[in-house]
Structure formats: structure tokens, C-alpha cells
Amino acid sequence: MDGCLFCQIAKKEIPAAVVYEDDTLIAFKDIFPQAPVHLLLIPKAHCSGLADLTPETAAAAARIPQVAARLAAEHGVEASGWRLLSNNGADAGQTVFHLHFHLLGGKPLGGKLCL
Ligand code: AMP
Ligand code: ZN
């Protein structure tokens, strides 16, 4: 989608530290990491969030947990633990409106998902 930051990253129009890519998914390092391991996993095709899935983006998104587990292992947090989450909408704090999942790990992440 025109003007979408993560579409531009997926198309390599904007640089990112890409750690995984296949036909329909791409993963890259978060530019403002909140943990020693902080990756973003996105479908290459645009959708704004989980309420906006198309058959194409749903099929890509369905593969994200498996890719995340592989990336967690590759980044050394398989044993220590990691978190996969997606913010959807204003109350969740979504700031980039292209569906993405945060993979976080490398430190204790706390027992609460919200304050
Ligand atoms: P959210 O707040 O869930 O929408 O997450 C958006 C994430 O995108 C934030 O953690 C940002 O740090 C991250 N982000 C913003 N711009 C970039 C960028 N150019 N490259 C990598 N990550 C980015
Ligand atoms: Zn997009």
C-alpha cells in the first residue's frame, strides 16, 4: 500500500535488518528494540491488522508462529523463553498499521501483558 512503512520494507524500498524472508513473509529487527531480541514478522502483502486479513494475508500470517519459533532458536532464546504478540488498534498501542508480530526475548519479560 502506498505510504505504508512496512510495505516499503517488504519491497526493500527502505532498509531494514532482515533476518528471514520467504515468498510471503519477511522478518527484521525492530529499530527501537525493547529486549535483546526484538524482531518483527510481517506478511509481505499489506493488511492493517488481524481484523483486516484476506485469504492471502491469513495464509501468510498462519505461518508466523512456526517461523517465529525458528527465529527464536536462531537468536538463542529458545531455551530461555520468548514472546510473540501483535498490537491491534489504538488501545493496544499499534503505531504501524501493517500487520506485524513482535518476537521478544533475551531478558525476563515480566508476567503481565498489560499494566
Ligand atoms: P506497534 O507499536 O505494535 O505498531 O509496533 C511498531 C514497531 O515498529 C515499533 O516497535 C517500532 O519500533 C517499529 N519500527 C518503526 N519503524 C521501524 C523501522 N523503520 N524499522 C524497524 N522497525 C520499526
Ligand atoms: Zn503495508
Side-chain angles (χ1 to χ4, degrees):
M1 193 179 85
D2 283 355
C4 172
L5 174 64
F6 286 178
C7 280
Q8 290 173 298
I9 287 176
K11 292 177 191 163
K12 311 287 175 60
E13 294 170 358
I14 287 179
V18 174
V19 295
Y20 175 84
E21 182 172 11
D22 62 32
D23 287 350
T24 61
L25 297 177
I26 188 165
F28 48 93
K29 294 184 179 180
D30 195 293
I31 202 166
F32 297 120
Q34 304 294 309
V37 176
H38 188 173
L39 307 177
L40 298 172
L41 294 81
I42 69 169
K44 286 182 172 176
H46 183 82
C47 70
S48 61
L50 288 170
D52 185 39
L53 289 170
T54 62
E56 179 187 11
T57 52
R63 297 175 43 245
I64 283 179
Q66 189 175 18
V67 172
R70 169 176 158 177
L71 288 171
E74 289 176 1
H75 287 77
V77 296
E78 182 180 38
S80 52
W82 50 283
R83 184 172 286 161
L84 184 66
L85 63 86
S86 178
N87 296 319
N88 284 260
D91 278 359
Q94 185 176 9
T95 59
V96 178
F97 288 84
H98 179 128
L99 175 64
H100 54 280
F101 286 77
H102 297 256
L103 191 171
L104 296 150
K107 69 172 188 180
L109 297 171
K112 297 187 188 300
L113 290 174
C114 61
L115 299 177

